[in-house]
Amino acid sequence: MWSCGGRRRRRLLGGLFLVVLAIVVLGRFNWSGLIPMRLRGRVLGLEAYDSQFLLEGNSFRIFGGSVHYFRVPREYWKDRLIKMKACGLNTLTTYVPWNLHEPVRGTFDFSGNLDLKAFIRTAEKVGLWVILRPGPYICSEWDLGGLPSWLLQDPEMQLRTTYKGFTEAVDAYFDHLMREVVHLQYKNGGPIIALQVENEYGSYAEDPGYMKYIKKALLKRRIIELLMTSDNKDGLASGFVPGALATVNFQKMDPGVLLYLDTMQDNMPKMVMEYWTGWFDSWGGPHNVFDADEMVRNVEKVIKAGASINLYMFHGGTNFGFMNGALHFDQYKATITSYDYDAVLTESGDYTSKFFKLRELFTGIADVPHPLPPIISNKASYGAILMQQYISLWEVLPSLVEPMKSEHPINMENLPVNNGNGQGYGYTLYETVIPGGGQLDSHNHVRDRAQVFVNTLHIGYLDYTEQHLQIPNGQGYRELRLLVENRGRVNYGRNLNNQRKGLIGNIFLNKTSLRNFKIYSLEMKPSFIESLRGASPWSAVPDSAMGPAFFRGTLEVQHMPQDTFLKLEGWEKGVVFVNGQNLGRYWKIGPQGTLYLPATWLQQGHNEIIIFEERAAGRIIQSTDLPFLGRSQYVG
């Protein structure tokens, strides 16, 4: 009897041991996706609880800063993030640009400068948490707010809604994007503590079911961290979605804004997702700056109010290539190439007075590393660069681009190029034959600016304001040519669905619509520049060279390359390529007077510079160690 009871006790104790062991083992798993826990204690993540953030149960304040990997050469990511940490910040925020990651429908790119995983891991190594803002729409003064242009091939497309054509594309994109980041979430051992549901939807608000759809799209792809929304005060109510923490965007601290947040979500932590440290610039306008002392006073007010804060931007970077966005309310305004933004770090990553004032503010209330990372003088002036060779667009065109033929004009996005995905960026040339002169009317179908030629003679421009042009009379049939530039699609407002570029409808000569076009796609991708290198005949630059033409010269670098800035005084408007890299647009109307050239795109020895000049060319460009972003105007 006693031995039988002992056996029962041993079996009972053994069973209890197995139960405890099972609980211990099973407790080490994250049941959301059955992903083994990499780090002990990563169970709760970032929580919004009782008017404060908790990170793994401990009180936590977000001191964040925005840096966009796609605006910064990969080789400089670590430098910018180390400087963020040195300022006293603990969290990186970044957008994800769909139009770069899926440039062609169904083809995805997360390599090189688009290696999002590597960027997030770099932040982790530096000691920063990450808030990811995956879109699909990001605004960000980026072409079409980050949405790919091929979406506009659908004439019925309704962007940022639950329209089937849009949601199917978003689902396919999210399927790939979330695979890149799901394992980088906090509870899976990574640095991502929160994700944003879309971006500033309250200023758009075209579909009441849209935000719920985006939230569900994230959750079903194993997103398990805290969700947030982000809007300015006027958009908060329309951009809110249940189950996500609402955050607010502004530049001037109005206590009423944070009180308004409380009315929407009682007893929740307050966060300023975008505290605007400066502002962006548009072509033809001033260079906007925001006073450093006023900025710091506003940041201090936010902190004293108990709110978390994210500095937009901590470091702006550059709209390299043709990726700048635009605004179009009363008039169309394209964003410049520089995204310096008057931010805490300059476009080339240098410290500013804002940095040192913020570092002083954060000392004592945040983890500020000591000492400061060394200030490295890494800018060079390489002097004057002579443009030695020249080739006219009209000369080189037949050997580089095969024209398409169409009875009617075709907008850029619907051209049969890029495996049926249309043309996204750059220029499109439309040619047709006319029998005589008279009045040319665009009927507002030019997007965004067209140089008009009869044969090779430049006769004027058509754009949003100039919609009529007199064509001189001439003998016989002549070629009418319209070289149309996409200057950047709108990135903000309710005009997103009307962003098709090129000629978007008929144009008329003497009230008769023109027909039978030859259309050339001039997207100026790296393959185009490579073909241009071998084109002939390049010739010596004439004394009075006129565009549209390509100009070529050499920048000699004797020692280790350093960052520099290219100044195009005497040139009118165009694009600069260095060793095949598109630095972006220049335009004499300013405000921007220099283009940033990172050292990482240079090599010791010969560096090829190719300039596409639309109209009036100079003979030299200057390499200088100082940027010039234009006449300053204070905002706010």
Side-chain angles (χ1 to χ4, degrees):
M1 178 179 174
W2 286 107
S3 75
C4 182
R7 285 195 297 271
R8 281 198 295 269
R9 282 195 299 272
R10 285 195 295 273
R11 283 198 297 269
L12 178 62
L13 288 172
L16 287 172
F17 173 78
L18 290 174
V19 169
V20 171
L21 179 63
I23 290 172
V24 169
V25 171
L26 294 176
R28 296 176 67 88
F29 283 82
N30 178 344
W31 284 101
S32 179
L34 291 177
I35 301 172
M37 297 295 289
R38 292 189 185 181
L39 300 176
R40 293 183 64 185
R42 291 205 171 197
V43 177
L44 302 175
L46 183 68
E47 298 174 284
Y49 177 76
D50 195 21
S51 297
Q52 64 177 325
F53 285 114
L54 301 177
L55 184 59
E56 210 54 44
N58 299 312
S59 181
F60 183 71
R61 288 278 288 279
I62 297 168
F63 299 127
S66 291
V67 177
H68 300 150
Y69 59 100
F70 49 94
R71 283 183 159 123
V72 181
R74 178 173 180 155
E75 294 82 353
Y76 291 163
W77 288 350
K78 187 175 181 180
D79 171 79
R80 302 331 188 228
L81 298 182
I82 286 174
K83 289 171 178 173
M84 177 184 288
K85 181 74 173 176
C87 193
L89 305 183
N90 59 22
T91 303
L92 162 72
T93 69
T94 187
Y95 283 130
V96 181
W98 182 5
N99 52 11
L100 291 187
H101 287 296
E102 193 182 2
V104 171
R105 188 189 288 266
T107 301
F108 299 89
D109 186 2
F110 290 94
S111 64
N113 227 91
L114 298 177
D115 191 340
L116 176 59
K117 288 188 291 190
F119 184 63
I120 294 172
R121 287 297 188 196
T122 302
E124 182 181 38
K125 289 173 185 175
V126 168
L128 295 167
W129 301 113
V130 175
I131 296 176
L132 194 66
R133 309 174 77 185
Y137 163 86
I138 63 172
C139 184
S140 190
E141 290 72 61
W142 197 251
D143 187 273
L144 202 59
L147 302 175
S149 62
W150 47 258
L151 289 168
L152 297 174
Q153 291 185 316
D154 179 355
E156 305 300 322
M157 176 56 65
Q158 297 297 312
L159 301 173
R160 302 180 76 190
T161 70
T162 52
Y163 172 71
K164 185 179 179 182
F166 185 68
T167 58
E168 287 180 343
V170 171
D171 286 338
Y173 169 55
F174 272 12
D175 283 344
H176 286 77
L177 173 60
M178 297 310 155
R179 286 179 209 149
E180 298 289 317
V181 300
V182 69
H183 65 287
L184 296 173
Q185 295 177 97
Y186 175 89
K187 293 169 192 168
N188 297 334
I192 298 175
I193 57 174
L195 292 93
Q196 187 171 294
V197 183
E198 234 260 2
N199 186 64
E200 295 181 321
Y201 194 69
S203 63
Y204 197 71
E206 295 290 329
D207 184 337
Y210 176 68
M211 289 293 280
K212 293 177 183 176
Y213 153 72
I214 293 293
K215 178 190 166 190
K216 183 178 179 182
L218 293 171
L219 294 176
K220 72 186 293 187
R221 289 168 178 84
R222 295 186 291 138
I223 295 302
I224 53 177
E225 303 300 340
L226 181 69
L227 298 179
M228 299 177 168
T229 62
S230 168
D231 286 280
N232 60 32
K233 181 181 178 182
D234 293 337
L236 276 171
S238 299
F240 178 76
V241 61
L245 179 74
T247 69
V248 69
N249 306 335
F250 60 75
Q251 187 168 73
K252 295 295 183 68
M253 173 59 172
D254 173 6
V257 174
L258 299 182
L259 292 173
Y260 183 54
L261 263 180
D262 281 336
T263 66
M264 292 187 55
Q265 45 187 21
D266 186 41
N267 209 33
M268 285 291 182
K270 292 180 278 290
M271 178 168 179
V272 183
M273 178 60 79
E274 291 185 13
Y275 176 76
W276 303 320
T277 61
W279 202 245
F280 60 92
D281 299 339
S282 301
W283 287 113
H287 171 47
N288 293 304
V289 298
F290 185 41
D291 180 75
D293 289 325
E294 187 174 358
M295 185 210 74
V296 173
R297 282 194 296 270
N298 278 278
V299 172
E300 189 171 17
K301 289 177 184 177
V302 172
I303 292 171
K304 285 183 176 179
S308 288
I309 190 169
N310 175 62
L311 305 175
Y312 187 99
M313 297 291 296
F314 180 79
H315 169 56
T318 310
N319 297 317
F320 292 117
F322 297 117
M323 300 310 300
N324 63 275
L327 294 178
H328 196 170
F329 296 109
D330 295 334
Q331 57 180 314
Y332 174 86
K333 294 181 179 180
T335 305
I336 66 170
T337 298
S338 170
Y339 201 62
D340 177 88
Y341 204 85
D342 193 38
V344 183
L345 298 182
T346 69
E347 178 179 14
S348 57
D350 291 334
Y351 296 116
T352 68
S353 63
K354 290 180 178 179
F355 177 93
F356 295 109
K357 291 174 187 290
L358 283 168
R359 179 175 160 88
E360 183 179 356
L361 173 65
F362 284 120
T363 299
I365 63 172
D367 179 20
V368 178
H370 292 279
L372 186 70
I375 300 175
I376 302 171
S377 179
N378 64 341
K379 306 296 185 294
S381 176
Y382 294 110
I385 304 160
L386 178 66
M387 293 295 107
Q388 298 170 313
Q389 293 181 302
Y390 154 93
I391 190 166
S392 164
L393 175 65
W394 313 127
E395 290 179 277
V396 77
L397 193 63
S399 63
L400 288 185
V401 183
E402 184 72 26
M404 295 150 276
K405 295 182 179 180
S406 174
E407 183 179 1
H408 302 273
I410 302 175
N411 61 286
M412 181 182 283
E413 295 77 8
N414 286 100
L415 290 174
V417 297
N418 294 325
N419 295 321
N421 286 269
Q423 181 181 341
Y425 312 98
Y427 300 79
T428 309
L429 177 66
Y430 298 83
E431 290 184 352
T432 188
V433 173
I434 56 173
Q439 180 162 293
L440 185 68
D441 293 302
S442 72
H443 282 226
N444 199 26
H445 288 157
V446 170
R447 298 288 185 275
D448 298 297
R449 185 175 186 264
Q451 289 187 86
V452 182
F453 303 85
V454 174
N455 294 331
T456 60
L457 176 67
H458 180 271
I459 61 169
Y461 300 92
L462 293 171
D463 57 20
Y464 292 98
T465 56
E466 299 295 328
Q467 299 186 27
H468 313 287
L469 189 61
Q470 198 64 30
I471 305 294
N473 289 315
Q475 300 256 333
Y477 287 89
R478 297 171 297 166
E479 277 192 313
L480 178 72
R481 290 166 158 162
L482 288 88
L483 181 60
V484 184
E485 179 194 14
N486 165 8
R487 290 178 51 207
R489 295 181 183 86
V490 161
N491 57 265
Y492 182 80
R494 290 196 164 99
N495 201 23
L496 292 179
N497 292 310
N498 302 313
Q499 293 306 303
R500 294 166 184 86
K501 298 298 185 177
L503 292 184
I504 63 168
N506 290 323
I507 57 172
F508 297 79
L509 181 61
N510 299 325
K511 299 184 179 180
T512 299
S513 58
L514 295 174
R515 293 286 183 266
N516 299 320
F517 287 88
K518 284 196 292 185
I519 306 172
Y520 298 81
S521 173
L522 299 170
E523 201 158 1
M524 299 191 187
K525 292 181 174 181
S527 58
F528 177 91
I529 299 301
E530 184 62 36
S531 298
L532 183 65
R533 287 192 182 104
S536 60
W538 286 87
S539 57
V541 178
D543 290 335
S544 55
M546 299 295 291
F550 297 92
F551 297 79
R552 184 160 63 182
T554 302
L555 167 61
E556 297 288 346
V557 176
Q558 300 298 329
H559 305 290
M560 183 69 70
Q562 293 181 299
D563 286 0
T564 191
F565 302 90
L566 300 184
K567 187 176 183 181
L568 288 99
E569 215 168 73
W571 300 74
E572 185 166 318
K573 186 177 188 302
V575 191
V576 177
F577 303 85
V578 177
N579 295 330
Q581 296 278 0
N582 187 336
L583 298 192
R585 313 173 207 254
Y586 65 89
W587 196 356
K588 71 175 185 179
I589 67 172
Q592 181 173 357
T594 55
L595 286 174
Y596 173 50
L597 173 53
T600 186
W601 291 352
L602 291 171
Q603 59 194 12
Q604 197 168 343
H606 302 297
N607 293 273
E608 178 191 59
I609 298 180
I610 292 178
I611 301 174
F612 176 65
E613 167 59 51
E614 294 181 22
R615 182 66 187 140
R619 289 298 303 273
I620 64 170
I621 61 175
Q622 292 284 343
S623 164
T624 175
D625 57 358
L626 291 173
F628 180 71
L629 296 178
R631 178 180 56 83
S632 295
Q633 172 179 285
Y634 281 91
V635 297

